Amino acid sequence: MMKIEAIETAYYRLPLEPMGDAGHGAIDSEEIITVKVRAGGVEGHGYAYTIGRGGRAVHALLEHDLAPLLAGRDATDIEALWQLMWQRLLYVGRGGLAAFAIAAIDIALWDLRGLRDKKPLYVLLGARAKEIRAYGSGVDLPKPLDGLLKQTEGFLARGLPGVKVKIGKADPRDDETRVAAVRKLIGDEVDLMLDANMAWSAQEALERARRLEEFNLYWYEEPTIPEDVAGHARLVRELSVPIAVGESLHSPHEFQRYVDERAAAVVQIDPVTNGGITASLRALDMANAAGLKASSHYTDELSAHLLCAAANAVYLEKHAFALDRYLEEPQRVVKGRVRPTETPGTGMRFAEGALAPYRIL
Ligand SMILES: [Mg+2]
């Protein structure tokens, strides 16, 4: 028994270099909502992020609904607390913003468990430490071609064995020009992923992909909206390039549909958007059982642990919103690969001094 004594939250708004994609439009800031859960004299740290919208609502759900719900309860039974939070927010939740709020607490509870047991997260997950290949990922749809190529050169200079490019320009020829130029620059040895950020109908996504398949693609990410599971299943059947989804799936139930309908080849976990480490783990269990590949979305530091629990982890995403300058110990990439941290818990700590100027609530 570790009785939850206090839950502390904060809300920050971090400026980003302006970027964007086909589904979410222009992005110029990131919101960070931090949670500290204190129990048994130990303090577990968790967080959620947004792409600049909705973060105040996530913070409000934490302050007004989840923190009072958890006060005085046993922090050690994480799965039961996840279920309790899910049930409490069911009417307004079943995913969406509620998943982000649940995630922030769930991450703190896993961190707390690691601190209590003096074990790093991957050990708590029953996994062994693995080296995982990392790919460079831009949020680069608005970048002119020379900027896109400069970014790609940066990824190559860091020794990353894969790069991802956003697609979804109004004129399909613009996507072709950009993808062709990146493929030419990186050569045949570096993997190339494409991300459409749900820009198209399934039919249009199919036609767009046909024009790009010749560039030997590693995966085709979020070709259409997450609600269209049948459309994704059709793309899996009709295209040779593997379909990747996960960042917009906000519950284990949503992953279940994709796995049951064979609507994805690569499951991309994100312990914030999926609804917590608990939820991402369930998604990985499904991927493992179905023989699917696993990768991650953003959440570089947590995902390095989680992907150790995947039977077939192909890549970790090194995301454009790198939090490095706000972390006590930024993730290290060595020869294009990452490893989970060895300190107890998640190993992820925000540098309070670096975050402080951006605190709003
Ligand atoms: Mg994506």
Side-chain angles (χ1 to χ4, degrees):
M1 170 81 181
M2 276 178 104
K3 195 171 157 183
I4 296 178
E5 295 147 8
I7 297 181
E8 214 180 281
T9 67
Y11 166 83
Y12 305 87
R13 194 170 181 87
L14 310 180
L16 291 172
E17 166 208 345
M19 46 182 104
D21 67 51
H24 306 100
I27 300 168
D28 62 10
S29 59
E30 171 181 19
E31 293 164 303
I32 296 285
I33 305 96
T34 59
V35 171
K36 293 175 188 166
V37 177
R38 196 163 67 240
V42 188
E43 194 173 68
H45 291 209
Y47 81 106
Y49 72 88
T50 77
I51 61 168
R53 309 134 201 185
R56 283 171 186 270
V58 173
H59 182 259
L61 284 169
L62 284 161
E63 274 292 306
H64 299 294
D65 296 289
L66 297 183
L69 174 69
L70 265 60
R73 293 184 192 268
D74 181 5
T76 60
D77 195 352
I78 301 175
E79 288 74 13
L81 292 181
W82 190 91
Q83 203 57 47
L84 182 74
M85 293 190 282
W86 182 262
Q87 204 66 33
R88 177 61 67 109
L89 295 177
L90 196 62
Y91 205 74
V92 295
R94 295 172 37 250
L97 288 168
F100 291 66
I102 293 169
I105 296 221
D106 182 81
I107 292 164
L109 293 173
W110 278 98
D111 188 46
L112 201 58
R113 180 182 283 182
L115 295 170
R116 182 198 62 176
D117 296 354
K118 300 189 169 50
K119 289 185 173 134
L121 178 58
Y122 73 86
V123 174
L124 303 180
L125 307 180
R128 297 164 76 110
K130 281 189 226 168
E131 272 194 347
I132 300 156
R133 286 185 299 170
Y135 74 90
S137 179
V139 183
D140 49 31
L141 197 65
K143 271 196 192 336
L145 183 58
D146 59 350
L148 178 67
L149 294 178
K150 192 161 168 254
Q151 170 188 274
T152 307
E153 279 167 358
F155 294 149
L156 297 178
R158 289 169 71 189
L160 300 172
V163 304
K164 189 167 80 188
V165 172
K166 298 290 191 191
I167 51 171
K169 292 283 191 191
D171 185 338
R173 285 170 299 189
D174 290 339
D175 282 339
E176 281 171 64
T177 303
R178 291 162 71 84
V179 173
V182 170
R183 174 50 90 193
K184 185 158 177 254
L185 176 65
I186 66 178
D188 294 330
E189 300 299 312
V190 173
D191 289 322
L192 176 58
M193 299 80 159
L194 299 185
D195 189 354
N197 290 99
M198 317 170 284
W200 302 311
S201 67
Q203 178 61 34
E204 196 177 358
L206 183 72
E207 289 161 13
R208 291 282 195 137
R210 292 262 186 254
R211 302 172 70 121
L212 297 164
E213 274 184 311
E214 65 174 292
F215 298 109
N216 185 24
L217 306 173
Y218 194 81
W219 75 52
Y220 183 26
E221 180 171 327
E222 293 202 308
T224 188
I225 55 171
E227 289 77 8
D228 190 2
V229 184
H232 280 86
R234 182 182 164 212
L235 295 171
V236 167
R237 288 193 306 273
E238 297 192 18
L239 290 171
S240 58
V241 53
I243 302 298
V245 296
E247 71 180 88
S248 301
L249 302 184
H250 300 317
S251 73
H253 314 281
E254 293 184 7
F255 278 99
Q256 189 73 60
R257 275 179 230 131
Y258 273 81
V259 174
D260 289 349
E261 305 291 326
R262 298 178 191 282
V266 184
V267 167
Q268 297 170 298
I269 51 140
D270 178 327
V272 171
T273 67
N274 299 160
I277 289 171
T278 300
S280 292
L281 264 184
R282 286 199 216 156
L284 285 179
D285 285 346
M286 293 173 210
N288 290 346
L292 302 178
K293 291 180 171 143
S295 183
S296 61
H297 172 255
Y298 193 23
T299 61
D300 314 13
E301 300 78 19
L302 300 176
S303 286
H305 290 274
L306 277 154
L307 287 176
C308 291
N312 193 3
V314 291
Y315 265 111
L316 176 137
E317 179 176 40
K318 287 306 291 178
H319 196 278
F321 297 3
L323 284 171
D324 294 13
R325 80 179 83 156
Y326 304 107
L327 296 179
E328 283 182 7
E329 282 190 54
Q331 184 175 61
R332 286 193 306 157
V333 181
V334 180
K335 293 183 180 164
R337 286 159 194 267
V338 296
R339 294 180 66 88
T341 47
E342 294 295 339
T343 48
T346 64
M348 186 180 178
R349 284 291 178 273
F350 285 102
E352 307 267 349
L355 272 186
Y358 305 103
R359 182 160 182 179
I360 292 175
L361 294 171

